[in-house]
Amino acid sequence: MMKLDPKIPPGPLETKWDRRRFSEKLVSPNNKRKIRVIVVGTGLAGASAASTLGQLGYQVECFCFQDSPRRAHSIAAQGGINAAKNYQDDGDSVGRLFYDTIKGGDFRSREANVYRLAQVSTQIIDQCVALGIPFAREYGGQLANRSFGGVQVSRTFYCRGQTGQQLLLGAYSALCWQIERGQVTMRPRTEMLDLVVVDGQARGIVVRDLVTGQMSTHTAHAVVLATGGYSNVYYLSTNASGSNVTATYRAWKQGAAFANPCFTQIHPTAIPPGDVHQAKLTLMSESLRNDGRLWVPKMARDHRPPEDIPAAERDYFLERRYPRFGNLTPRDLASRAVKAVCDEGRGVGPGGHGVYLDFADVLHQEGLDVVRERYGNLFEMYQRITGEDAYHAPMRIYPAPHYTMGGLWVDYNLMSTIPGLFVIGEANFADHGANRLGASSLMQGLADGYFILPYTIGHYLATAKFTPVGEDHQKSRAALQRATARISRLLNSKGCRTAASFHRELGQLLWNHCGMSRNEEGLKLALTSIPALREEFWRGVMVPGSGEAFNQELEYAGRVADYLEFAELLCHDALHREESCGAHFREEYQTDAGEPQRDDSRFAHVAAWEYREGASPALHKEPLLFEFVPPTTRSYQ
Amino acid sequence: MALSGLGLVIYVIFHMLGNLQVFEGSHALNGYAASLRDMPILLWTARIGLLSLAALHIVLAIQLTFRNRRARPVAYAVREYRQASFASRTMAASGLVLLLFIIFHLLHLTADVIDPFSADRLDAEGHRDVYGKIVHAFQNPFIVALYVAGQLGLGLHLTHAVTSSLQTLGLEHAAFNRLFNAAGPTVALLVVLGNVAIILAVFFGIVRG
Amino acid sequence: MKFTLNIWRQKGPGEKGRFVTYEAGDVSSGMSFLEMLDSVNQGLIAKGEEPVAFEQDCREGICGSCSLVINGIPHGPDRGITTCQLYMRRFPDGAVIRIEPWRARAFPIIKDLVVDRRALDRVMQAGGYISVNTGGAVDGNVLLVSKDQAETAMDAASCIGCGACVAACKNASAMLFVAAKVSHLALLPQGKPERTRRVRAMLEAMDREGFGSCGNHR
């Protein structure tokens, strides 16, 4: 029976982390050299963790499926990173960042974790500056800030529209240093396919060398997963096409609880989908909502060009519904508002899948040059993709799956239900509750990797007992066997449909029944359709080539196979959560005004799912206690 | 590469300036030549220095060319250059043309092997008649064609060479980059114009014996 | 729209490659270049043939994975973008398009259009960082950096490390890649203490990897 012990230190909120750090056992420097740690993934969380662990003296083996650690998808984050520096003296503080994050997450995250996140946020900025990250500066030479998605203070640090890139390259450069020093062994183009668990402890992973196809087992004293989120389960998302659920999903099958999988964030400002061949959705930075105004025609099926629609016949729906936050309303509410007006037939563009994001006012007030300086690269990107000029006509945008708040369950020490398996960054269920605020994912990834995991993993390594485990251990061989059998099964299934066609079908199914809004009927339908689709996949998928060579189609088919199982878990979770909170909107649970209705009496808990062979997953609940911020209705009106 | 090249560029400029004295008549040019010959130690030091500089430049160039060829063992089937100029892409070729031209030039006007006609003539003042030699040489259309071709090779080479050498030396500054970028084409143009002016002036009878 | 593609196919490292012609039919002008290749590949897979291997990931021009030389130009005919940001409306209907991998000794071909770019990582490992430990950094505002300086550093830091500079260079030199990192760090006060060592180490590493020398084109 799985036991969920969050291990939150008792006592005052402000000193929980300090006290935990003090009470932790340390590993002596001599022993660190003998301890091996595996880190899977080299995004912000993985790269910062691997470099810091290497610097502390552990022997780190680091894996990524990309050709270089620098290509992890953190690189694509545009907007910025939050920190409670209060450089602008606009009333920000650790407490306020904590409060905003708890509230933004619709009271479905742990107070202690979120407070710690807000605390270390300031250290992250200092660390990044020391690493040479060229943050935007004021004329006086000080760090510049902007306000970002759903908060009323300016606490976001940024590097133009490429903050994720710069932060990742910073972490990557630190990783490079540790590789040069021999502390980290880097294995790019290597994909994790299974987890080795011995005596209940995570002791290694099974990987496939994507160039040679060779399968091998790597063992260590602890395993850290930093493998990102699973938005690609929807097929079309803003994630990189390689982003996948495989590592976390396979860990789940080995006994790690998966928490809140139904909390998937749909970002409001992506470029609307075009034709069927489209392979990805492109995000337009949320910062556009600082100056752009969202609107649709008041009349349904109004096909006039936007410039012919007079102001009186336009509905600035975010400003109307959320007058206090207007166009800066948090992502979940904004996305749903967009969907609502499109469902009413008022959407614009092909298929009615889109709303206008209009810059006419700011262009008129501040001039073309100002707008060009602020958003030039985004306008260019928009033009390249759509062939339209947003300086003259409003942009069209539509929501797209973007980030997943759900992930493997971890305790306060970031350890999963399998001792020795740590999960960091987007891969864990962590700190964002039911909805993540803008510029918070970079903060969480780096907080976990630089400042939290390196402490907490030390305590585990200092206190756990280890038996010798190598490649030849029976459990290692069994894990290798499992992964190899799966590869053979894929290669031997000689159907005639491509993996992509199954993926697209699954994505459509999920988008329709477990997307921006969900209902019991749709979810139940999805839960019967998914297994059928999965069966068809194993009967009818075509994977050409061999397993002993570079084979991109084989890699992809393996990931799709996991999505086809994972999607079911996602729907189970969405079905169980009979309330609307954050990104999870159940149509049955809304107010008369169409606002989400949270149910704290029944659902103020983390839903952690346990894998059961041949049966539906088992639900375990970690109650969420709010000692410091009493839950209120999350109102942005 | 850059340093030896710049040394040679400086020589080429002075060579051109010295020769321009042909426009001041035989007295000036032959006197200038004689004054160089009056300092044999300096002259031979300069000649040996120049030759070794040229040799060094050639050896380095060969090394570099092979290294760069090795860096791309399989060539592209189709190639379109966006940034690299024609001059920069043909440095090895223009260098080779230049080398052949210099050998010819030395055999022709320095060692008098090719056309010994005016080798030992003296002018009225008893100096070696360099002026007469030049006037004689550039009345021959074949020689003129060869020299003009050699000058075009030189021009092409210098266009990229000078700017490139400055960049190798790290001379890069937003305020001066236009100057540095213009240096190559300007030097090339001036040297070629100066030298070709002499050749054509003789050929068209502006400068006579 | 319809296109004729001449694509470099090569089974593995060190094997002999050749151009193979494929027809891409039913292409819409709003399709990206990679989506066009996807659709060609879907056709090949359905026929049981091996799809053309090419690299891509973020499909928004930032990860630096995609690496195609299109009609003799790395990342294709448009300036300032990567292959994944190239759209088919850029090509006339019926065009013949030649697709090659990055070609350089330092980038051995893994398969078809996929090359091994780890050489760039090794150049970075030689010195492309500021040696600073996690923790103990001073407050971010203690180091003042002028806006201009920060912007210039950011220009250099924007390098996505795709290797197109190597592919485009006549000499297959990685000088632009190295220069971008060197400039980014040397322009900031944090990077100054190690600047000399960094340049030497990275240049030596670049030579070791078999890149050509810089031709000083600009």
Side-chain angles (χ1 to χ4, degrees):
Chain A
M1 179 62 196
M2 189 174 272
K3 203 170 137 282
L4 299 175
D5 176 7
K7 299 202 188 92
I8 298 168
L13 191 60
E14 291 79 4
T15 54
K16 279 182 195 287
W17 179 229
D18 284 345
R19 281 178 288 117
R20 171 57 53 89
R21 280 193 299 173
F22 180 68
S23 65
E24 301 266 77
K25 295 273 182 300
L26 296 175
V27 183
S28 83
N30 287 338
N31 286 342
K32 278 185 186 150
R33 253 176 265 145
K34 295 178 226 151
I35 293 178
R36 280 173 295 129
V37 179
I38 283 172
V39 178
V40 188
T42 57
L44 285 184
S48 57
S51 67
T52 306
L53 292 173
Q55 167 209 316
L56 289 172
Y58 298 107
Q59 282 301 326
V60 181
E61 204 174 2
C62 187
F63 298 80
C64 70
F65 70 79
Q66 296 92 345
D67 72 324
S68 162
R70 66 180 291 154
R71 306 210 199 281
H73 193 56
S74 304
I75 199 121
Q78 297 170 353
I81 177 166
N82 286 335
K85 280 285 197 186
N86 194 27
Y87 282 156
Q88 309 306 322
D89 202 20
D90 56 359
D92 199 10
S93 63
V94 168
R96 187 170 293 276
L97 176 54
F98 158 71
Y99 176 76
D100 284 347
T101 310
I102 285 277
K103 179 187 167 204
D106 213 357
F107 301 93
R108 289 296 172 263
S109 40
R110 273 191 211 130
E111 280 185 330
N113 282 54
V114 176
Y115 196 85
R116 173 177 65 183
L117 177 66
Q119 277 178 311
V120 301
S121 68
T122 59
Q123 274 175 283
I124 297 172
I125 300 304
D126 301 339
Q127 178 65 25
C128 288
V129 169
L131 280 168
I133 283 151
F135 281 121
R137 299 276 175 163
E138 304 290 357
Y139 281 104
Q142 289 168 327
L143 291 158
N145 290 118
R146 60 183 169 202
S147 135
F148 205 83
V151 294
Q152 289 167 314
V153 291
S154 286
R155 62 159 78 101
T156 303
F157 295 78
Y158 61 99
C159 307
R160 294 187 192 151
Q162 291 146 265
T163 318
Q165 181 201 25
Q166 292 310 311
L167 296 178
L168 181 63
L169 293 183
Y172 162 73
S173 75
L175 182 64
C176 282
W177 183 33
Q178 298 306 326
I179 295 170
E180 178 75 355
R181 290 182 63 217
Q183 289 299 122
V184 177
T185 309
M186 186 65 224
R187 303 202 188 281
R189 289 196 199 274
T190 312
E191 181 166 30
M192 169 177 163
L193 293 182
D194 219 317
L195 184 73
V196 179
V197 182
V198 179
D199 301 334
Q201 291 172 314
R203 292 302 301 275
I205 59 173
V206 176
V207 297
R208 180 168 179 269
D209 180 322
L210 300 182
V211 177
T212 63
Q214 205 193 351
M215 308 279 293
S216 57
T217 312
H218 298 253
T219 54
H221 294 88
V223 175
V224 181
L225 295 188
T227 52
Y230 48 85
S231 293
N232 271 346
V233 72
Y234 289 101
Y235 183 64
L236 282 181
S237 84
T238 66
N239 281 190
S241 39
S243 303
N244 66 79
V245 75
T246 291
T248 44
Y249 186 72
R250 304 277 172 106
W252 181 62
K253 286 181 98 172
Q254 293 310 308
F258 209 111
N260 299 339
C262 79
F263 291 161
T264 57
Q265 183 167 74
I266 316 285
H267 196 292
T269 56
I271 297 176
D275 65 28
V276 289
H277 297 289
Q278 190 153 354
K280 106 147 235 159
L281 296 170
T282 303
L283 184 74
M284 300 299 287
S285 170
E286 191 158 32
S287 62
L288 288 170
R289 288 203 279 146
N290 282 331
D291 286 311
R293 299 177 68 195
L294 277 78
W295 65 273
V296 287
K298 278 189 175 156
M299 211 165 54
R301 280 163 289 281
D302 183 342
H303 295 302
R304 285 176 292 174
E307 61 273 17
D308 291 349
I309 301 177
E313 292 172 42
R314 298 176 176 189
D315 177 14
Y316 292 91
F317 55 94
L318 282 184
E319 294 167 26
R320 172 174 57 78
R321 284 180 67 170
Y322 307 103
R324 225 151 49 81
F325 282 76
N327 294 296
L328 291 175
T329 302
R331 291 175 180 178
D332 51 340
L333 303 177
S335 293
R336 264 197 309 274
V338 169
K339 182 182 182 333
V341 294
C342 290
D343 288 349
E344 290 164 18
R346 296 195 285 147
V348 296
H353 294 306
V355 301
Y356 291 122
L357 179 60
D358 200 337
F359 292 86
D361 287 356
V362 65
L363 279 164
H364 181 69
Q365 283 156 15
E366 302 191 38
L368 187 69
D369 291 342
V370 174
V371 175
R372 183 164 286 151
E373 192 199 315
R374 252 177 237 164
Y375 308 114
N377 58 336
L378 295 168
F379 277 52
E380 238 173 72
M381 185 162 93
Y382 183 79
Q383 174 151 35
R384 210 178 298 121
I385 294 172
T386 61
E388 293 167 22
D389 178 4
Y391 290 107
H392 293 107
M395 284 183 183
R396 283 176 300 108
I397 54 145
Y398 196 68
H402 174 61
Y403 185 90
T404 53
M405 283 73 67
L408 290 180
W409 184 91
V410 289
D411 62 18
Y412 186 74
N413 290 346
L414 303 180
M415 192 162 83
S416 70
T417 50
I418 303 177
L421 180 70
F422 291 79
V423 191
I424 57 177
E426 190 181 351
N428 70 22
F429 87 104
D431 308 339
H432 305 297
N435 174 52
R436 179 175 67 75
L437 291 179
S440 284
S441 64
L442 301 183
M443 169 171 72
Q444 185 227 336
L446 289 181
D448 286 0
Y450 280 134
F451 297 109
I452 301 171
L453 174 90
Y455 283 102
T456 57
I457 200 172
H459 177 73
Y460 169 77
L461 292 167
T463 50
K465 299 272 177 290
F466 296 101
T467 55
V469 174
E471 284 175 45
D472 296 331
H473 192 280
Q474 175 209 339
K475 290 288 173 74
S476 301
R477 286 212 304 266
L480 184 65
Q481 177 61 34
R482 279 198 302 272
T484 312
R486 200 174 158 88
I487 297 262
S488 323
R489 196 176 160 204
L490 282 169
L491 286 165
N492 291 332
S493 155
K494 290 289 176 213
C496 57
R497 269 184 73 180
T498 63
S501 74
F502 286 103
H503 192 185
R504 197 180 299 129
E505 198 175 328
L506 174 71
Q508 199 76 63
L509 190 73
L510 276 187
W511 180 249
N512 290 339
H513 300 301
C514 196
M516 265 186 288
S517 68
R518 297 129 186 214
N519 60 48
E520 187 180 343
E521 193 191 348
L523 289 167
K524 285 189 167 155
L525 179 70
L527 279 170
T528 56
S529 311
I530 294 166
L533 185 62
R534 189 165 62 228
E535 255 176 59
E536 208 183 316
F537 171 86
W538 284 109
R539 257 202 325 270
V541 71
M542 169 73 209
V543 183
S546 94
E548 279 89 49
F550 187 79
N551 189 339
Q552 291 172 313
E553 197 55 24
L554 176 62
E555 297 165 25
Y556 179 53
R559 292 168 194 163
V560 173
D562 283 333
Y563 291 137
L564 281 164
E565 294 182 24
F566 173 74
E568 225 178 311
L569 178 62
L570 185 58
C571 293
H572 274 301
D573 188 43
L575 185 62
H576 126 273
R577 194 166 280 280
E578 292 170 341
E579 64 164 349
S580 294
C581 65
H584 172 69
F585 187 77
R586 280 284 297 268
E587 286 159 11
E588 304 93 320
Y589 306 96
Q590 53 180 316
T591 63
D592 296 337
E595 298 303 322
Q597 227 167 14
R598 218 176 53 215
D599 185 348
D600 290 334
S601 60
R602 292 171 61 216
F603 291 99
H605 63 246
V606 176
W609 298 86
E610 181 186 4
Y611 173 73
R612 288 188 306 180
E613 180 120 37
S616 303
L619 174 65
H620 303 272
K621 296 175 184 172
E622 179 204 332
L624 290 168
L625 304 172
F626 292 91
E627 298 173 66
F628 305 94
V629 185
T632 53
T633 301
R634 179 169 159 253
S635 167
Y636 289 90
Q637 281 167 340
Chain B
M1 201 75 226
L3 286 176
S4 60
L6 279 180
L8 293 169
V9 169
I10 290 167
Y11 168 73
V12 164
I13 292 171
F14 279 100
H15 183 59
M16 185 262 304
L17 290 176
N19 287 352
L20 279 180
Q21 295 179 56
V22 83
F23 289 106
E24 292 176 27
S26 70
H27 173 73
L29 187 68
N30 291 348
Y32 163 69
S35 69
L36 291 180
R37 291 205 167 243
D38 283 346
M39 301 176 283
I41 297 178
L42 200 68
L43 181 69
W44 281 101
T45 315
R47 279 179 172 173
I48 291 168
L50 212 52
L51 277 177
S52 15
L53 210 55
L56 180 68
H57 193 70
I58 292 166
V59 170
L60 289 174
I62 291 171
Q63 274 185 354
L64 202 61
T65 308
F66 276 96
R67 196 185 129 187
N68 291 341
R69 293 265 156 87
R70 260 207 319 279
R72 176 164 294 134
V74 181
Y76 288 105
V78 178
R79 199 72 232 263
E80 189 181 315
Y81 288 97
R82 304 299 288 269
Q83 195 70 24
S85 62
F86 180 72
S88 73
R89 285 182 275 125
T90 50
M91 287 302 274
S94 61
L96 194 64
V97 168
L98 211 49
L99 176 65
L100 294 176
F101 169 70
I102 290 168
I103 293 171
F104 175 81
H105 175 54
L106 290 178
L107 293 176
H108 178 214
L109 289 182
T110 309
D112 298 313
V113 176
I114 297 203
D115 183 11
F117 161 75
S118 55
D120 300 320
R121 276 174 43 169
L122 299 180
D123 67 3
E125 291 163 46
H127 295 312
R128 283 157 56 94
D129 190 6
V130 177
Y131 182 84
K133 195 151 76 173
I134 289 175
V135 170
H136 169 76
F138 294 139
Q139 279 164 1
N140 180 341
F142 292 109
I143 297 279
V144 167
L146 265 173
Y147 269 74
V148 170
Q151 288 308 306
L152 293 181
L154 175 65
L156 193 62
H157 204 69
L158 290 184
T159 304
H160 177 66
V162 176
T163 301
S164 172
S165 313
L166 295 178
Q167 188 167 333
T168 300
L169 297 181
L171 292 175
E172 247 255 344
H173 189 282
F176 300 113
N177 275 346
R178 284 176 60 180
L179 188 73
F180 296 144
N181 285 340
T186 312
V187 170
L189 191 69
L190 290 179
V191 168
V192 172
L193 276 184
N195 286 340
V196 171
I198 298 170
I199 300 165
L200 294 185
V202 173
F203 186 66
F204 290 113
I206 299 163
V207 170
R208 285 174 233 243
Chain C
M1 295 172 99
K2 275 195 175 111
F3 299 95
T4 304
L5 312 174
N6 286 317
I7 303 179
W8 182 262
R9 302 296 311 254
Q10 180 172 335
K11 276 210 151 57
E15 300 211 29
K16 226 177 135 49
R18 65 194 178 95
F19 285 99
V20 179
T21 306
Y22 298 94
E23 298 298 327
D26 200 19
V27 175
S28 71
S29 65
M31 260 163 114
S32 79
F33 196 85
L34 296 184
E35 282 161 7
M36 184 272 295
L37 284 180
D38 284 342
S39 90
V40 170
N41 273 347
Q42 292 296 304
L44 290 176
I45 298 167
K47 282 193 278 178
E49 290 176 37
E50 283 217 31
V52 179
F54 64 91
E55 227 154 356
Q56 50 85 29
D57 201 22
C58 77
R59 299 214 179 191
E60 49 188 272
I62 193 80
C63 75
S65 292
C66 54
S67 49
L68 302 179
V69 175
I70 299 163
N71 288 339
I73 306 171
H75 290 312
D78 281 344
R79 281 178 187 269
I81 59 161
T82 56
T83 303
C84 63
Q85 298 171 295
L86 181 63
Y87 282 77
M88 294 317 289
R89 66 175 82 89
R90 183 66 180 68
F91 296 88
D93 194 5
V96 178
I97 304 172
R98 189 175 290 267
I99 309 171
E100 296 182 70
W102 284 179
R103 293 200 190 276
R105 184 161 70 113
F107 293 164
I109 290 179
I110 291 175
K111 187 179 181 181
D112 297 341
L113 304 167
V114 177
V115 299
D116 181 352
R117 286 173 283 192
R118 276 178 299 174
L120 294 181
D121 288 313
R122 290 189 289 266
V123 170
M124 278 291 290
Q125 286 154 21
Y129 46 78
I130 293 172
S131 313
V132 55
N133 282 343
T134 305
V138 294
D139 186 273
N141 261 348
V142 168
L143 283 170
L144 294 182
V145 182
S146 79
K147 190 179 167 77
D148 287 349
Q149 199 86 342
E151 293 294 320
T152 318
M154 181 62 202
D155 285 341
S158 307
C159 168
I160 60 171
C162 63
C165 56
V166 177
C169 174
K170 179 180 158 289
N171 301 339
S173 168
M175 189 57 96
L176 284 183
F177 173 82
V178 172
K181 189 42 66 186
V182 162
S183 313
H184 156 214
L185 294 178
L187 280 162
L188 296 171
Q190 307 90 298
K192 288 227 160 69
E194 293 174 278
R195 56 192 284 192
T196 315
R197 193 195 69 81
R198 180 180 307 122
V199 171
R200 292 211 176 106
M202 290 182 81
L203 283 179
E204 276 166 24
M206 182 176 106
D207 288 347
R208 247 192 335 265
E209 296 294 341
F211 291 105
S213 63
C214 180
N216 289 348
H217 314 291
R218 52 181 188 182

